Amino acid sequence: MVAGGGVQTDWVGYATRWKALHGGYDPQAAAFPVRGWFYLTYHSARGLARVGVSPATVTVVGLVCCLFVPAVAAQHGRWPVVAGGLVALAGVLDSLDGAVAVVARRVTRFGYVYDAVLDRLGETAWLVAFWLVGVPGWLVALTACLALLHEYLRARATAAGLSGHAGTSLAERPVRVLVSALGLALVGVSGGLSDTLAAGAGTVAVSVWLLLGVVGFVQLFAAVGRDLG
């Protein structure tokens, strides 16, 4: 699935192409905050595409940000706040790479798979950061397995015909970005007081991720049974 060259500058055309590529999810029909985010992402992507920045470049920069998260968080003290900022930046870049691909008409099947794999690597790096600041390893491992299972189920269900809207759950990647970024920031604030408080804050954040992951998986599993059963 490779689109031709050129830069798509029309918002309606961009939204239409996005809808076709994402299981029928229409940015123009989304709730106001989500629609606003899509609109800002579209304009940012158009600027990047016009100066020749490729989707792959945006993806790689986002992955590099993710890979720095454990190293920064491991410095303890206030440093996890910086790690949380890197998670937030990676989340923004993750939205931009797909948008640049659509705007620049450079969508490929390889890029779709490549982006998904790097997303999973990035989230693993965030969880490693939580482990390094004192979150129990079993909790980190369980959360990682659930996140991977959630995305595996979505991929298989989408391949089987599940629509984009039906596959939306409470544990979407933007939610994981938000929980990780805020969680690491809280770890950093707590780390200024003691490592014990920092570990506790990180444990709370990962526990929230796990709880949302369980709810999201149940929602997704129910959608699969309802739409494909």
Side-chain angles (χ1 to χ4, degrees), residues 21-37:
L21 292 166
H22 292 83
Y25 188 90
D26 187 359
Q28 298 183 97
F32 177 74
V34 178
R35 186 167 66 251
W37 172 254

mmCIF file with all atom_site columns, all heavy atoms in Angstrom, residues 21-37:
data_model
loop_
_atom_site.group_PDB
_atom_site.id
_atom_site.type_symbol
_atom_site.label_atom_id
_atom_site.label_alt_id
_atom_site.label_comp_id
_atom_site.label_asym_id
_atom_site.label_entity_id
_atom_site.label_seq_id
_atom_site.pdbx_PDB_ins_code
_atom_site.Cartn_x
_atom_site.Cartn_y
_atom_site.Cartn_z
_atom_site.occupancy
_atom_site.B_iso_or_equiv
_atom_site.pdbx_formal_charge
_atom_site.auth_seq_id
_atom_site.auth_comp_id
_atom_site.auth_asym_id
_atom_site.auth_atom_id
_atom_site.pdbx_PDB_model_num
ATOM 1   N N   . LEU A 1 21 ? -7.096  4.416  6.059  1.00 0.00 ? 21 LEU A N   1
ATOM 2   C CA  . LEU A 1 21 ? -5.933  3.643  6.508  1.00 0.00 ? 21 LEU A CA  1
ATOM 3   C C   . LEU A 1 21 ? -6.061  3.126  7.931  1.00 0.00 ? 21 LEU A C   1
ATOM 4   O O   . LEU A 1 21 ? -5.237  2.322  8.371  1.00 0.00 ? 21 LEU A O   1
ATOM 5   C CB  . LEU A 1 21 ? -4.666  4.515  6.419  1.00 0.00 ? 21 LEU A CB  1
ATOM 6   C CG  . LEU A 1 21 ? -4.209  4.884  5.004  1.00 0.00 ? 21 LEU A CG  1
ATOM 7   C CD1 . LEU A 1 21 ? -3.183  6.008  5.067  1.00 0.00 ? 21 LEU A CD1 1
ATOM 8   C CD2 . LEU A 1 21 ? -3.631  3.661  4.301  1.00 0.00 ? 21 LEU A CD2 1
ATOM 9   N N   . HIS A 1 22 ? -7.073  3.581  8.663  1.00 0.00 ? 22 HIS A N   1
ATOM 10  C CA  . HIS A 1 22 ? -7.189  3.214  10.076 1.00 0.00 ? 22 HIS A CA  1
ATOM 11  C C   . HIS A 1 22 ? -8.563  2.622  10.413 1.00 0.00 ? 22 HIS A C   1
ATOM 12  O O   . HIS A 1 22 ? -9.201  3.008  11.401 1.00 0.00 ? 22 HIS A O   1
ATOM 13  C CB  . HIS A 1 22 ? -6.899  4.429  10.966 1.00 0.00 ? 22 HIS A CB  1
ATOM 14  C CG  . HIS A 1 22 ? -5.474  4.883  10.908 1.00 0.00 ? 22 HIS A CG  1
ATOM 15  N ND1 . HIS A 1 22 ? -5.006  5.710  9.901  1.00 0.00 ? 22 HIS A ND1 1
ATOM 16  C CD2 . HIS A 1 22 ? -4.398  4.604  11.689 1.00 0.00 ? 22 HIS A CD2 1
ATOM 17  C CE1 . HIS A 1 22 ? -3.712  5.927  10.083 1.00 0.00 ? 22 HIS A CE1 1
ATOM 18  N NE2 . HIS A 1 22 ? -3.327  5.270  11.145 1.00 0.00 ? 22 HIS A NE2 1
ATOM 19  N N   . GLY A 1 23 ? -8.986  1.709  9.586  1.00 0.00 ? 23 GLY A N   1
ATOM 20  C CA  . GLY A 1 23 ? -10.184 0.936  9.892  1.00 0.00 ? 23 GLY A CA  1
ATOM 21  C C   . GLY A 1 23 ? -11.470 1.729  9.967  1.00 0.00 ? 23 GLY A C   1
ATOM 22  O O   . GLY A 1 23 ? -12.403 1.338  10.683 1.00 0.00 ? 23 GLY A O   1
ATOM 23  N N   . GLY A 1 24 ? -11.537 2.864  9.270  1.00 0.00 ? 24 GLY A N   1
ATOM 24  C CA  . GLY A 1 24 ? -12.762 3.645  9.264  1.00 0.00 ? 24 GLY A CA  1
ATOM 25  C C   . GLY A 1 24 ? -12.859 4.690  10.356 1.00 0.00 ? 24 GLY A C   1
ATOM 26  O O   . GLY A 1 24 ? -13.904 5.357  10.498 1.00 0.00 ? 24 GLY A O   1
ATOM 27  N N   . TYR A 1 25 ? -11.782 4.874  11.144 1.00 0.00 ? 25 TYR A N   1
ATOM 28  C CA  . TYR A 1 25 ? -11.809 5.893  12.204 1.00 0.00 ? 25 TYR A CA  1
ATOM 29  C C   . TYR A 1 25 ? -11.653 7.268  11.562 1.00 0.00 ? 25 TYR A C   1
ATOM 30  O O   . TYR A 1 25 ? -10.621 7.578  10.978 1.00 0.00 ? 25 TYR A O   1
ATOM 31  C CB  . TYR A 1 25 ? -10.680 5.649  13.204 1.00 0.00 ? 25 TYR A CB  1
ATOM 32  C CG  . TYR A 1 25 ? -10.767 6.542  14.421 1.00 0.00 ? 25 TYR A CG  1
ATOM 33  C CD1 . TYR A 1 25 ? -11.473 6.130  15.548 1.00 0.00 ? 25 TYR A CD1 1
ATOM 34  C CD2 . TYR A 1 25 ? -10.169 7.798  14.437 1.00 0.00 ? 25 TYR A CD2 1
ATOM 35  C CE1 . TYR A 1 25 ? -11.566 6.944  16.658 1.00 0.00 ? 25 TYR A CE1 1
ATOM 36  C CE2 . TYR A 1 25 ? -10.265 8.618  15.542 1.00 0.00 ? 25 TYR A CE2 1
ATOM 37  C CZ  . TYR A 1 25 ? -10.959 8.183  16.657 1.00 0.00 ? 25 TYR A CZ  1
ATOM 38  O OH  . TYR A 1 25 ? -11.057 9.002  17.759 1.00 0.00 ? 25 TYR A OH  1
ATOM 39  N N   . ASP A 1 26 ? -12.686 8.110  11.691 1.00 0.00 ? 26 ASP A N   1
ATOM 40  C CA  . ASP A 1 26 ? -12.723 9.409  11.025 1.00 0.00 ? 26 ASP A CA  1
ATOM 41  C C   . ASP A 1 26 ? -12.302 10.539 11.977 1.00 0.00 ? 26 ASP A C   1
ATOM 42  O O   . ASP A 1 26 ? -13.013 10.828 12.945 1.00 0.00 ? 26 ASP A O   1
ATOM 43  C CB  . ASP A 1 26 ? -14.139 9.675  10.519 1.00 0.00 ? 26 ASP A CB  1
ATOM 44  C CG  . ASP A 1 26 ? -14.224 10.935 9.662  1.00 0.00 ? 26 ASP A CG  1
ATOM 45  O OD1 . ASP A 1 26 ? -13.189 11.604 9.476  1.00 0.00 ? 26 ASP A OD1 1
ATOM 46  O OD2 . ASP A 1 26 ? -15.327 11.241 9.176  1.00 0.00 ? 26 ASP A OD2 1
ATOM 47  N N   . PRO A 1 27 ? -11.155 11.198 11.740 1.00 0.00 ? 27 PRO A N   1
ATOM 48  C CA  . PRO A 1 27 ? -10.714 12.308 12.604 1.00 0.00 ? 27 PRO A CA  1
ATOM 49  C C   . PRO A 1 27 ? -11.728 13.438 12.684 1.00 0.00 ? 27 PRO A C   1
ATOM 50  O O   . PRO A 1 27 ? -11.851 14.105 13.709 1.00 0.00 ? 27 PRO A O   1
ATOM 51  C CB  . PRO A 1 27 ? -9.422  12.779 11.922 1.00 0.00 ? 27 PRO A CB  1
ATOM 52  C CG  . PRO A 1 27 ? -8.929  11.595 11.173 1.00 0.00 ? 27 PRO A CG  1
ATOM 53  C CD  . PRO A 1 27 ? -10.176 10.898 10.693 1.00 0.00 ? 27 PRO A CD  1
ATOM 54  N N   . GLN A 1 28 ? -12.474 13.641 11.610 1.00 0.00 ? 28 GLN A N   1
ATOM 55  C CA  . GLN A 1 28 ? -13.440 14.738 11.595 1.00 0.00 ? 28 GLN A CA  1
ATOM 56  C C   . GLN A 1 28 ? -14.666 14.451 12.456 1.00 0.00 ? 28 GLN A C   1
ATOM 57  O O   . GLN A 1 28 ? -15.382 15.378 12.861 1.00 0.00 ? 28 GLN A O   1
ATOM 58  C CB  . GLN A 1 28 ? -13.893 15.021 10.162 1.00 0.00 ? 28 GLN A CB  1
ATOM 59  C CG  . GLN A 1 28 ? -12.768 15.470 9.253  1.00 0.00 ? 28 GLN A CG  1
ATOM 60  C CD  . GLN A 1 28 ? -13.260 15.814 7.864  1.00 0.00 ? 28 GLN A CD  1
ATOM 61  O OE1 . GLN A 1 28 ? -13.498 16.974 7.540  1.00 0.00 ? 28 GLN A OE1 1
ATOM 62  N NE2 . GLN A 1 28 ? -13.433 14.800 7.043  1.00 0.00 ? 28 GLN A NE2 1
ATOM 63  N N   . ALA A 1 29 ? -14.907 13.181 12.746 1.00 0.00 ? 29 ALA A N   1
ATOM 64  C CA  . ALA A 1 29 ? -16.072 12.800 13.548 1.00 0.00 ? 29 ALA A CA  1
ATOM 65  C C   . ALA A 1 29 ? -15.705 12.540 15.005 1.00 0.00 ? 29 ALA A C   1
ATOM 66  O O   . ALA A 1 29 ? -16.569 12.223 15.820 1.00 0.00 ? 29 ALA A O   1
ATOM 67  C CB  . ALA A 1 29 ? -16.724 11.548 12.959 1.00 0.00 ? 29 ALA A CB  1
ATOM 68  N N   . ALA A 1 30 ? -14.433 12.713 15.348 1.00 0.00 ? 30 ALA A N   1
ATOM 69  C CA  . ALA A 1 30 ? -13.975 12.450 16.710 1.00 0.00 ? 30 ALA A CA  1
ATOM 70  C C   . ALA A 1 30 ? -14.457 13.546 17.662 1.00 0.00 ? 30 ALA A C   1
ATOM 71  O O   . ALA A 1 30 ? -14.898 14.619 17.234 1.00 0.00 ? 30 ALA A O   1
ATOM 72  C CB  . ALA A 1 30 ? -12.449 12.356 16.740 1.00 0.00 ? 30 ALA A CB  1
ATOM 73  N N   . ALA A 1 31 ? -14.365 13.274 18.967 1.00 0.00 ? 31 ALA A N   1
ATOM 74  C CA  . ALA A 1 31 ? -14.720 14.276 19.972 1.00 0.00 ? 31 ALA A CA  1
ATOM 75  C C   . ALA A 1 31 ? -13.820 15.499 19.795 1.00 0.00 ? 31 ALA A C   1
ATOM 76  O O   . ALA A 1 31 ? -12.701 15.391 19.279 1.00 0.00 ? 31 ALA A O   1
ATOM 77  C CB  . ALA A 1 31 ? -14.551 13.691 21.370 1.00 0.00 ? 31 ALA A CB  1
ATOM 78  N N   . PHE A 1 32 ? -14.295 16.642 20.262 1.00 0.00 ? 32 PHE A N   1
ATOM 79  C CA  . PHE A 1 32 ? -13.593 17.901 19.998 1.00 0.00 ? 32 PHE A CA  1
ATOM 80  C C   . PHE A 1 32 ? -12.106 17.882 20.379 1.00 0.00 ? 32 PHE A C   1
ATOM 81  O O   . PHE A 1 32 ? -11.255 18.281 19.561 1.00 0.00 ? 32 PHE A O   1
ATOM 82  C CB  . PHE A 1 32 ? -14.307 19.059 20.713 1.00 0.00 ? 32 PHE A CB  1
ATOM 83  C CG  . PHE A 1 32 ? -13.599 20.374 20.546 1.00 0.00 ? 32 PHE A CG  1
ATOM 84  C CD1 . PHE A 1 32 ? -13.652 21.064 19.336 1.00 0.00 ? 32 PHE A CD1 1
ATOM 85  C CD2 . PHE A 1 32 ? -12.868 20.911 21.582 1.00 0.00 ? 32 PHE A CD2 1
ATOM 86  C CE1 . PHE A 1 32 ? -12.987 22.270 19.172 1.00 0.00 ? 32 PHE A CE1 1
ATOM 87  C CE2 . PHE A 1 32 ? -12.199 22.125 21.439 1.00 0.00 ? 32 PHE A CE2 1
ATOM 88  C CZ  . PHE A 1 32 ? -12.257 22.805 20.228 1.00 0.00 ? 32 PHE A CZ  1
ATOM 89  N N   . PRO A 1 33 ? -11.730 17.436 21.605 1.00 0.00 ? 33 PRO A N   1
ATOM 90  C CA  . PRO A 1 33 ? -10.296 17.440 21.948 1.00 0.00 ? 33 PRO A CA  1
ATOM 91  C C   . PRO A 1 33 ? -9.470  16.552 21.016 1.00 0.00 ? 33 PRO A C   1
ATOM 92  O O   . PRO A 1 33 ? -8.360  16.911 20.616 1.00 0.00 ? 33 PRO A O   1
ATOM 93  C CB  . PRO A 1 33 ? -10.275 16.917 23.390 1.00 0.00 ? 33 PRO A CB  1
ATOM 94  C CG  . PRO A 1 33 ? -11.643 17.151 23.900 1.00 0.00 ? 33 PRO A CG  1
ATOM 95  C CD  . PRO A 1 33 ? -12.548 16.951 22.724 1.00 0.00 ? 33 PRO A CD  1
ATOM 96  N N   . VAL A 1 34 ? -10.031 15.384 20.675 1.00 0.00 ? 34 VAL A N   1
ATOM 97  C CA  . VAL A 1 34 ? -9.316  14.455 19.793 1.00 0.00 ? 34 VAL A CA  1
ATOM 98  C C   . VAL A 1 34 ? -9.205  15.042 18.386 1.00 0.00 ? 34 VAL A C   1
ATOM 99  O O   . VAL A 1 34 ? -8.150  14.971 17.745 1.00 0.00 ? 34 VAL A O   1
ATOM 100 C CB  . VAL A 1 34 ? -10.036 13.087 19.755 1.00 0.00 ? 34 VAL A CB  1
ATOM 101 C CG1 . VAL A 1 34 ? -9.330  12.134 18.793 1.00 0.00 ? 34 VAL A CG1 1
ATOM 102 C CG2 . VAL A 1 34 ? -10.104 12.493 21.152 1.00 0.00 ? 34 VAL A CG2 1
ATOM 103 N N   . ARG A 1 35 ? -10.299 15.625 17.919 1.00 0.00 ? 35 ARG A N   1
ATOM 104 C CA  . ARG A 1 35 ? -10.284 16.256 16.599 1.00 0.00 ? 35 ARG A CA  1
ATOM 105 C C   . ARG A 1 35 ? -9.267  17.397 16.553 1.00 0.00 ? 35 ARG A C   1
ATOM 106 O O   . ARG A 1 35 ? -8.529  17.562 15.576 1.00 0.00 ? 35 ARG A O   1
ATOM 107 C CB  . ARG A 1 35 ? -11.676 16.785 16.250 1.00 0.00 ? 35 ARG A CB  1
ATOM 108 C CG  . ARG A 1 35 ? -11.788 17.319 14.826 1.00 0.00 ? 35 ARG A CG  1
ATOM 109 C CD  . ARG A 1 35 ? -13.228 17.536 14.423 1.00 0.00 ? 35 ARG A CD  1
ATOM 110 N NE  . ARG A 1 35 ? -13.874 18.597 15.196 1.00 0.00 ? 35 ARG A NE  1
ATOM 111 C CZ  . ARG A 1 35 ? -14.806 18.416 16.116 1.00 0.00 ? 35 ARG A CZ  1
ATOM 112 N NH1 . ARG A 1 35 ? -15.220 17.186 16.403 1.00 0.00 ? 35 ARG A NH1 1
ATOM 113 N NH2 . ARG A 1 35 ? -15.340 19.428 16.762 1.00 0.00 ? 35 ARG A NH2 1
ATOM 114 N N   . GLY A 1 36 ? -9.191  18.163 17.637 1.00 0.00 ? 36 GLY A N   1
ATOM 115 C CA  . GLY A 1 36 ? -8.213  19.250 17.705 1.00 0.00 ? 36 GLY A CA  1
ATOM 116 C C   . GLY A 1 36 ? -6.791  18.726 17.658 1.00 0.00 ? 36 GLY A C   1
ATOM 117 O O   . GLY A 1 36 ? -5.922  19.308 16.998 1.00 0.00 ? 36 GLY A O   1
ATOM 118 N N   . TRP A 1 37 ? -6.550  17.606 18.352 1.00 0.00 ? 37 TRP A N   1
ATOM 119 C CA  . TRP A 1 37 ? -5.213  17.001 18.333 1.00 0.00 ? 37 TRP A CA  1
ATOM 120 C C   . TRP A 1 37 ? -4.858  16.533 16.921 1.00 0.00 ? 37 TRP A C   1
ATOM 121 O O   . TRP A 1 37 ? -3.745  16.755 16.439 1.00 0.00 ? 37 TRP A O   1
ATOM 122 C CB  . TRP A 1 37 ? -5.152  15.838 19.311 1.00 0.00 ? 37 TRP A CB  1
ATOM 123 C CG  . TRP A 1 37 ? -3.883  15.046 19.228 1.00 0.00 ? 37 TRP A CG  1
ATOM 124 C CD1 . TRP A 1 37 ? -3.713  13.812 18.686 1.00 0.00 ? 37 TRP A CD1 1
ATOM 125 C CD2 . TRP A 1 37 ? -2.588  15.462 19.667 1.00 0.00 ? 37 TRP A CD2 1
ATOM 126 N NE1 . TRP A 1 37 ? -2.402  13.419 18.761 1.00 0.00 ? 37 TRP A NE1 1
ATOM 127 C CE2 . TRP A 1 37 ? -1.686  14.411 19.363 1.00 0.00 ? 37 TRP A CE2 1
ATOM 128 C CE3 . TRP A 1 37 ? -2.112  16.613 20.284 1.00 0.00 ? 37 TRP A CE3 1
ATOM 129 C CZ2 . TRP A 1 37 ? -0.335  14.496 19.665 1.00 0.00 ? 37 TRP A CZ2 1
ATOM 130 C CZ3 . TRP A 1 37 ? -0.755  16.691 20.596 1.00 0.00 ? 37 TRP A CZ3 1
ATOM 131 C CH2 . TRP A 1 37 ? 0.119   15.633 20.285 1.00 0.00 ? 37 TRP A CH2 1
#
